[in-house]
Amino acid sequence: MARAENKVTAGPATRLVADIARAMRLAKGMTQEQVGTESGFSAAAVSAMETCAQPASDEMLVALGRVLGDDIVFERAREYVRLDKYPEQFKNYVLLEQKAVGLCLYATLVVHGLFQTEAYARALIGGGYPPLPDHRVEELVEVRMARKALFDREPMALIELIVEESVLRRTIGDEEVMRGQLSYLAECAKRRNVTLQVLPLDCGLGGEYAGARGGMTLVETPEHDRLVYLEPQDESLLISDPAKVSTYTQRYAKIRSQALGPRESLGLIERLAGEQE
């Protein structure tokens, strides 16, 4: 849904695309109705895009490139318009994530965003607090799903995920949503560039629980710098200090040593998925 306040808060890429689209439309002598008809969107949707009341979706950008005759401009714009839609505190990290050669992820409360299904993400974001309007929920789901391009990117990124067993047992949405989410995790675990492990509920029985301080993300950049990203509540913290990064890296290694192996983890995920049948 287009909203008046979006015109004020729209990011620079959204504004630039709106200006370019309007200029190209006028240069071709087309009305908003004509662009809408040929692109498969309503005239109101085209107007909302041009006034920044509603940022263009990926689908609209593809259609605009076809109708206005410049696929390259609108294709390249997709990444930058998408970036405008991320929460402010997440924008710096997502740029690192897109280019990372390696990611080590530890998820303690919910499935990590890179590994979420659309239904799980929609239930999670839509059920959060403070409540978000429906259009914003859909924007956040869209950009979260777009992050999955990392799995198939070239050069290939190596991704490790350690997830708490409690995350797999916490129902988000309903049983059907969780069954789909668990099945998707099992599919991801079979990718050549993914290692997925589960930290079992009983890992603290021996007196040690290395994951007690919460989730983390370790990032290896294309220059082979190593960074740590933390996201407590709605804040974000990017750590580059070598001594601190070393401490987090060692802690992650200890968490990994307490987790089930990849084969055992896959078996547990598939078993839990079956229990949702």
Side-chain angles (χ1 to χ4, degrees):
M1 180 185 297
R3 298 174 67 90
E5 58 265 35
N6 290 353
K7 299 179 183 180
V8 178
T9 61
T14 299
R15 293 179 182 278
L16 179 60
V17 165
D19 285 348
I20 290 173
R22 183 174 185 276
M24 293 179 69
R25 174 178 66 77
L26 293 175
K28 292 177 73 69
M30 299 179 72
T31 65
Q32 292 176 340
E33 288 80 3
Q34 289 172 322
V35 171
T37 298
E38 293 191 27
S39 65
F41 291 86
S42 67
V46 175
S47 175
M49 177 275 299
E50 290 188 359
T51 60
C52 298
Q54 180 63 45
S57 64
D58 275 5
E59 292 77 8
M60 177 177 277
L61 289 170
V62 171
L64 287 174
R66 184 184 72 252
V67 173
L68 298 178
D70 199 328
D71 293 338
I72 295 177
V73 167
F74 290 103
E75 175 62 30
R76 294 295 300 272
R78 291 171 67 186
E79 177 183 351
Y80 299 99
V81 172
R82 194 180 299 140
L83 185 61
D84 277 351
K85 298 176 183 178
Y86 285 110
E88 195 61 39
Q89 75 274 8
F90 193 69
K91 290 180 180 180
N92 288 337
Y93 167 72
V94 78
L95 291 172
L96 290 170
E97 182 182 80
Q98 290 170 359
K99 297 179 181 179
V101 298
L103 290 173
C104 294
L105 317 168
Y106 174 44
T108 61
L109 298 175
V110 296
V111 174
H112 190 278
L114 270 177
F115 288 82
Q116 290 176 9
T117 64
E118 184 173 334
Y120 184 98
R122 183 171 289 106
L124 185 65
I125 296 169
Y129 188 86
L132 297 173
D134 290 345
H135 83 278
R136 183 57 177 153
V137 171
E138 291 306 313
E139 279 186 356
L140 291 173
V141 170
E142 175 193 339
V143 294
R144 186 165 295 181
M145 294 302 102
R147 290 165 60 195
K148 294 177 182 294
L150 180 65
F151 285 112
D152 300 306
R153 190 204 66 196
E154 294 184 7
M156 184 177 292
L158 298 181
I159 305 170
E160 291 187 16
L161 171 64
I162 302 172
V163 59
E164 292 267 359
E165 182 179 344
S166 58
V167 171
L168 307 179
R169 296 183 179 276
R170 178 175 295 113
T171 301
I172 300 293
D174 56 30
E175 290 185 353
E176 182 178 356
V177 170
M178 281 308 300
R179 181 168 60 252
Q181 178 61 73
L182 292 168
S183 297
Y184 180 68
L185 279 175
E187 292 175 19
C188 289
K190 298 172 185 177
R191 285 177 170 267
R192 292 178 58 205
N193 61 327
V194 172
T195 302
L196 199 159
Q197 294 177 256
V198 177
L199 191 66
L201 288 172
D202 62 0
C203 72
L205 286 176
E208 290 188 357
Y209 174 42
R213 298 191 184 184
M216 70 176 87
T217 296
L218 309 181
V219 183
E220 182 179 355
T221 72
E223 296 75 33
H224 305 293
D225 294 322
R226 296 180 185 273
L227 306 168
V228 176
Y229 176 72
L230 306 176
E231 198 173 44
Q233 295 294 329
D234 290 326
E235 304 299 326
S236 63
L237 181 62
L238 192 61
I239 300 170
S240 59
D241 178 78
K244 292 182 179 180
V245 171
S246 176
T247 297
Y248 279 102
T249 301
Q250 292 172 24
R251 185 177 296 152
Y252 182 90
K254 189 65 174 178
I255 295 169
R256 183 198 289 128
S257 74
Q258 294 176 352
L260 301 176
R263 289 186 180 181
E264 285 180 283
S265 298
L266 176 58
L268 175 59
I269 293 169
E270 290 178 333
R271 186 163 65 253
L272 290 174
E275 291 176 5
Q276 296 287 341
E277 295 290 346

